[in-house]
Amino acid sequence: MSEGRPAGAGERGLRAFAGGRAAVGFVLVSVWLDVLSLGVIIPVYAPLVQQFQGGDAGSAARWNGVLSTLWAASQFIAAPVLGALSDRFGRRPVLLISLFGLALDYLVMVVAPNLWWLVATRIVAGLTAGGMGAANAYIADVTAPEKRAQTFGLIGAAWGVGFIVGPAIGGFLAHNWGLRAPFVGAGALTLLGVVYGFFVLPESLKPENRAAFDWKKANPVGSLRFLAQRREVLALSTMNLLLQTAHYVLPTIFVLYASNRYGWTPDMTGYALALTGICNIVVQGVLVKPVVAKIGEWGAVLAGLTFGGLGFAIYGMAPTGWLFLAGTPVFGLIGLFGPGFQGLVTRRVAASEQGRLQGANASAAGLAGIVAPAVFGFTYAWFVTPGHPQVPGSAFFLAAGLHAVAVCIAIAVMARAPRATGAPA
């Protein structure tokens, strides 16, 4: 297992983080603070957009899609640059820049007088949205290859904890102090993450593993070419791209869907998201290790894709809020995908390319995000508009279809070369 070496902290810091375990703990806390602040605003972001649109649900859905697309387009451009910079200068500064950009986004939303302010802040947040890619590269730096799936599961569990506490806090703040209050809380939490990272988080990338920065590679085209040149990485990344595309249905239409179909209030949507977080913790913090030991990393990938698709189908069919919630444990098993995917893909590139790999995958996810939010938003809006066929779950059915395609790719790759690709024999 490699060690994470703190930049400028001397040998005392190196000894303190020997073996990488404590360093993993620190990055988990940073990720948790990031996700906690994001979770706080989830119950109120879409209602704020709807408020700016005079209460029109269809218009709010369309604008929600546009705002998500702007964020994803900015990420698509910036992610490979941040990934390459993390390979050159280390993971720590990229994490801090990402957190600071997110904090700025939240704090501006507190005083935003109209929708155009949200447009500007989404662009800024997207340009600095390299935190998770740097965190994943950090884990690859300090964890032995055979233990990465389990450790990436802990990253997912940190997300789950954030989504248990964050949406509940956001719903509570909105219920008692209005739609803007959660943005104050989110900004404060994210700034706490910046301070924490600045004073405590060590650097993980050793000087000998750093790579020169090259603008020809640090751009969206270069990053996608990086994936395309490695067949197994490309297959894995394609499945991840389909999953990421499908997942955009949740931030795009979930709150509007739940409030308009089931009559849920912001605090109720917050509690529903908290349930999703609980399932995520159980899956990634408890199930990942035994599941990967039993069926392998490829088996975990296939299981995550299958159950995620089933969960989306249940969400789309559920005629009541209680039946929607019954689908949450099924959907929660999607959490098996990420650790299996990261365990497989990080072993297929060199230590000096981990940042490029994570930046490339983040850029691909950004490419999906350019199209997916608008597609899901307009799909939902069309099927709830008076005079059109009323199929409020249509966007979830579309997401389930994307998972079905990813499952077919996984089966084809495993059948073609199971042993070479790390699939269970």
Side-chain angles (χ1 to χ4, degrees), residues 202-353:
E203 179 55 63
S204 64
L205 186 62
K206 294 180 179 181
E208 61 268 27
N209 288 334
R210 301 191 181 193
F213 183 84
D214 185 351
W215 279 108
K216 293 180 180 179
K217 299 177 180 179
N219 63 77
V221 175
S223 68
L224 296 178
R225 187 181 297 119
F226 173 81
L227 298 177
Q229 289 170 346
R230 297 156 175 81
R231 191 176 72 171
E232 290 183 356
V233 171
L234 178 61
L236 286 161
S237 295
T238 300
M239 287 176 255
N240 183 54
L241 174 62
L242 290 168
L243 180 142
Q244 294 291 339
T245 301
H247 219 76
Y248 270 100
V249 72
L250 293 171
T252 302
I253 66 109
F254 167 68
V255 174
L256 293 173
Y257 176 80
S259 61
N260 290 300
R261 186 173 191 184
Y262 307 130
W264 287 0
T265 58
D267 54 334
M268 293 172 68
T269 58
Y271 299 142
L273 289 170
L275 175 61
T276 302
I278 292 172
C279 293
N280 193 65
I281 290 173
V282 172
V283 172
Q284 302 213 43
V286 178
L287 296 183
V288 165
K289 183 177 180 180
V291 167
V292 171
K294 182 69 173 178
I295 64 176
E297 290 168 333
W298 267 107
V301 164
L302 183 59
L305 290 171
T306 301
F307 285 108
L310 288 174
F312 279 133
I314 293 171
Y315 287 166
M317 291 186 293
T320 67
W322 286 111
L323 289 175
F324 182 98
L325 293 176
T328 301
V330 177
F331 178 75
L333 291 169
I334 195 176
L336 295 171
F337 174 86
F341 165 74
Q342 290 290 350
L344 288 166
V345 78
T346 54
R347 285 206 302 271
R348 285 159 170 77
V349 301
S352 60
E353 296 177 319

Side-chain angles (χ1 to χ4, degrees), residues 13 26-27 44 48 60-61 65 67 81 95-97 105 112 115 181 227 242 267 272 301 304 323 356 358 364 383:
F26 280 114
V27 79
V44 296
L48 180 62
L67 290 168
V81 177
L95 282 166
L96 294 179
I97 290 171
D105 180 30
L115 194 63
L227 298 177
L242 290 168
D267 54 334
V301 164
L323 289 175
R356 283 193 69 197
Q358 300 298 337
F383 280 102

Side-chain angles (χ1 to χ4, degrees), residues 10 98 116 120 133 146 172 195-196 208 278 284 344 362 367 385 403:
S98 175
W116 295 109
E146 65 273 11
F172 175 79
V195 173
Y196 172 85
E208 61 268 27
I278 292 172
Q284 302 213 43
L344 288 166
L367 179 61
T385 298
H403 271 250

Side-chain angles (χ1 to χ4, degrees), residues 108-124:
V108 171
M109 287 186 203
V110 176
V111 297
N114 55 55
L115 194 63
W116 295 109
W117 282 53
L118 300 189
V119 170
T121 58
R122 287 288 81 190
I123 293 173
V124 172

